[in-house]
């Protein structure tokens, strides 16, 4: 197994791990990147972590993901994580489309995947899980970036690409973070201030739609509107702002961040993929 994995740790985490190994209770936050089907690379690792490693954990473990990373953690946060991860995998691999699918068709298929991974009791199990705290990112569009008219959306996205090339701070002109968080505990990263952000408590009424919004890729899919408990607007893929996530995970608190990733480069936002110096 070690031939297929690379382990990396910062100096403080490395000292702690050298002293007593990596213990489940030492991990305070676990992060999950966006990246479409690349999440499948991590499927068996997720099965081990949530089916065994974290199984007896008592203290809250804050999960933070966007897009497919959010969907991974929604599966892992159910009462039977192995069954939910398998449902997610089956539904994801089973996607079918026309040769040139319209955004509405892709959104409908994505909605089917989310509904299948949640099953009949998944939402309730997630918001009442004894130790796992699901949190995930969305991006609420502003101005033309919120439009479903193709020309306006194209203009909005083009302006966002240009602004982001100059500085990630300019993304705040076009998108606003929507952090959906477990209502029982505010996560340690909830105070991030680099970009505008709304904090939205997860409920039975908004969890499924929020998850769909977190994976709603601009241009490819429709945005998600009228999410219960969320400010009015059009919510899109959280990876637009937080693709692999470069955020203050611990917010100054002690603990270890566990971040299984599928590549060596950590790309902050979706629009940073073609910017080689932003990693």
């Amino acid at each position: 197994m070690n031939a297929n994995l690379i382990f990396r740790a910062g100096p403080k985490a490395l000292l702690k791990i050298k002293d007593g190994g990596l213990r489940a209770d030492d991990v305070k936050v676990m992060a999950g990147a966006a990246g479409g089907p690349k999440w499948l690379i991590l499927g068996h690792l997720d099965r081990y972590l949530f089916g065994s490693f974290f199984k007896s954990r008592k203290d809250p473990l804050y999960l933070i993901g966007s897009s497919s990373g959010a969907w991974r953690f929604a599966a892992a946060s159910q009462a039977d994580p192995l069954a939910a991860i398998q449902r997610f995998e089956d539904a994801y691999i089973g996607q079918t489309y026309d040769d040139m699918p319209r955004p509405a068709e892709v959104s409908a298929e994505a909605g089917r995947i989310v509904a299948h991974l949640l099953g009949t009791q998944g939402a309730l199990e997630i918001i009442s899980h004894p130790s796992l705290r699901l949190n995930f990112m969305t991006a609420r569009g502003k101005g033309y970036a919120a439009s479903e008219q193709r020309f306006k959306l194209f203009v909005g996205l083009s302006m966002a690409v240009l602004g982001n090339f100059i500085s990630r701070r300019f993304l705040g002109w076009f998108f606003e973070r929507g952090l959906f968080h477990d209502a029982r505990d505010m996560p340690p990263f909830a105070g991030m201030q680099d970009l505008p952000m709304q904090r939205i408590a997860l409920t039975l009424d908004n969890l499924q739609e929020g998850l769909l919004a977190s994976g709603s890729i601009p241009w490819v899919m429709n945005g998600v509107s009228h999410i219960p408990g969320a400010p009015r607007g059009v919510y899109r893929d959280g990876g637009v702002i937080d693709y692999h996530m470069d955020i203050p995970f611990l917010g100054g608190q002690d603990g270890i961040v566990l971040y299984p990733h599928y590549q060596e480069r950590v790309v902050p936002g979706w629009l940073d993929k073609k910017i080689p110096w932003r990693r």
Side-chain angles (χ1 to χ4, degrees), residues 198-230:
Q198 295 285 343
R199 300 167 186 83
I200 305 152
L202 282 171
T203 67
L204 286 175
D205 294 328
N206 66 20
L207 191 145
Q208 184 167 332
E209 290 180 77
L211 283 172
L212 177 60
S214 185
S216 291
I217 305 168
W219 194 261
V220 177
M221 299 168 63
N222 293 331
V224 180
S225 305
H226 308 296
I227 300 177

Side-chain angles (χ1 to χ4, degrees), residues 14-42:
L14 185 59
L15 283 175
K16 190 173 185 65
I17 293 168
K18 281 184 174 180
D19 183 51
L22 179 61
R23 296 174 295 216
D25 288 338
D26 292 334
V27 181
K28 191 176 187 70
V29 174
M30 183 169 167
K38 301 182 191 74
W39 78 269
L40 293 165
I41 296 170
L42 303 172

Side-chain angles (χ1 to χ4, degrees), residues 125-187:
E125 293 169 0
I126 289 168
I127 64 174
S128 60
H129 195 283
S131 61
L132 300 183
R133 302 292 186 263
L134 177 65
N135 307 271
F136 57 84
M137 301 289 200
T138 60
R140 185 172 74 147
K142 295 181 178 180
Y144 278 10
S147 178
E148 296 293 4
Q149 298 181 28
R150 303 292 275 179
F151 176 73
K152 288 184 177 180
L153 180 58
F154 175 79
V155 172
L157 292 177
S158 299
M159 293 173 65
V161 169
L162 178 60
N164 179 74
F165 185 82
I166 299 170
S167 170
R168 264 180 61 82
R169 289 178 297 175
F170 289 127
L171 269 181
W173 292 8
F174 308 99
F175 293 98
E176 178 183 68
R177 274 193 183 108
L179 171 63
F180 284 80
H181 65 87
D182 190 296
R184 295 168 293 178
D185 298 287
M186 194 64 73

